Amino acid sequence: MTSEIRTLAVVGHPIAHSLSPTLHQTAYDHLGMSWKYVAVDVQPGELAGFLDSTDSSLRGLSVTMPHKVAALEASNRLDLLSERTGSVNTLLCEYTESGQRELSGFNTDVLGIVNALKDSGVHQAHHVAVIGGGATASSAIAAASELGAEHISVIVRTPQKAFYLETVGQECGVNVSVHSFDQMSEIASVDVAISTLPGDVEQSLESLPRTSRATLLDVAYNPWPSARGTQWSAAGGEVVSGLRMLAHQALIQVRIFVGGSPFDVLPDESGVKSAMFASVGLESL
């Protein structure tokens, strides 16, 4: 670790709702580091220009929609999960002796999803439905694979735009099929569903067949409870907020920004995690 003042940010559009600054700033304050983490609204297609506008004080970026593919393209090197999913949500900035910036791309969304589901008691899944076809959907597929899924049904508005997710499934060693929302009722019962739709998209999941007490992880957390989550819970299912996913993946991002690796455990990590989760009203399990 270094006491040098560094800057970090979450970039996306829109971004005002993000709780990433609260989570990250809590972590660096707990560690006694003079680092500052802010939210920056970066318009679609402008990530490269934003990076060009920053200086060598930048330590890293948390990347949210719509920049996860652009972040992959900007990376000089990628971790395995980024390669498999084609999606980067974390950029680590390092500098050569000549001052040239090199960007390492990571995907912490996958383990964020896995750990959020494990908190709710889901340690294994057989048939998983992934709702939505954006960059986070590829991370959901990789997460379902980590949980041992035998099949993943991707449900989207326009299947033709999501067939690439079948290739993501091949990379992760799991069978993926793509369906339209109109075909939802024809899918076999799922034991886990992961909605990657934005919070302002109202899409009923009422016709999706599910096993008894099936679990829904809704990656959107603003507003909460979501209409999807309320509907799922009313039908007897378990619901996990995307805020728990956000907190778990943020902890891994802090590891990357502080130590350079998602596997480098932080000093007093249990204390850091407890403080981060408490800062957004979550219990650290």
Side-chain angles (χ1 to χ4, degrees):
M1 291 194 306
T2 174
S3 60
E4 179 184 357
I5 297 177
R6 305 298 295 273
T7 58
L8 305 103
V10 57
V11 293
H13 178 76
I15 202 62
H17 68 284
S18 177
L19 290 175
S20 289
T22 299
L23 287 161
H24 278 263
Q25 197 62 61
T26 296
Y28 307 127
D29 290 348
H30 186 91
L31 290 167
M33 304 176 71
S34 301
W35 287 12
K36 299 300 179 185
Y37 186 106
V38 297
V40 181
D41 193 309
V42 176
Q43 296 287 323
E46 296 298 324
L47 179 62
F50 170 77
L51 284 165
D52 289 342
S53 72
T54 61
D55 60 28
S56 60
S57 69
L58 183 67
R59 175 59 174 170
L61 297 177
S62 304
V63 182
T64 188
M65 295 304 294
H67 302 301
K68 293 183 179 181
V69 174
L72 181 143
E73 295 170 348
S75 300
N76 300 105
R77 61 185 68 87
L78 299 169
D79 74 338
L80 180 59
L81 289 176
S82 295
E83 291 179 346
R84 285 180 175 175
T85 61
S87 175
V88 163
N89 78 322
T90 309
L91 287 173
L92 175 67
C93 303
E94 297 175 296
Y95 302 86
T96 66
E97 291 184 359
S98 63
Q100 181 178 355
R101 176 186 290 161
E102 294 187 345
L103 298 175
S104 296
F106 298 86
N107 183 318
T108 66
D109 281 337
V110 175
L111 291 181
I113 293 170
V114 170
N115 290 334
L117 286 168
K118 286 183 176 180
D119 279 356
S120 69
V122 178
H123 297 273
Q124 187 173 11
H126 299 289
H127 185 192
V128 176
V130 173
I131 319 299
T136 306
S138 62
S139 297
I141 288 171
S145 174
E146 292 284 334
L147 292 169
E150 298 172 0
H151 184 79
I152 300 170
S153 298
V154 175
I155 305 169
V156 293
R157 194 170 307 280
T158 309
Q160 292 83 354
K161 295 181 179 180
F163 286 131
Y164 78 96
L165 292 172
E166 295 179 347
T167 302
V168 174
Q170 292 173 4
E171 290 289 328
C172 297
V174 63
N175 184 41
V176 171
S177 59
V178 180
H179 311 267
S180 69
F181 284 115
D182 293 339
Q183 297 171 314
M184 196 182 304
S185 62
E186 303 170 14
I187 296 170
S189 295
V190 303
D191 45 5
V192 173
I194 304 169
S195 172
T196 67
L197 299 175
D200 59 356
V201 174
E202 294 189 11
Q203 174 62 54
S204 173
L205 303 181
E206 188 174 3
S207 62
L208 177 63
R210 65 196 77 167
T211 60
S212 176
R213 305 295 290 177
T215 298
L216 168 69
L217 169 62
D218 192 341
V219 302
Y221 61 87
N222 183 32
W224 191 263
S226 65
R228 292 182 291 271
T230 299
Q231 181 189 73
W232 192 275
S233 181
E238 299 288 337
V239 178
V240 182
S241 167
L243 184 56
R244 187 162 287 276
M245 168 196 166
L246 180 74
H248 273 294
Q249 67 83 29
L251 178 64
I252 301 170
Q253 287 183 331
V254 173
R255 285 183 176 182
I256 292 168
F257 295 147
V258 172
S261 166
F263 309 111
D264 286 348
V265 177
L266 297 164
D268 186 27
E269 180 159 310
S270 62
V272 174
K273 179 182 177 183
S274 294
M276 290 176 70
F277 276 56
S279 73
V280 292
L282 293 175
E283 181 183 1
S284 176
L285 301 177

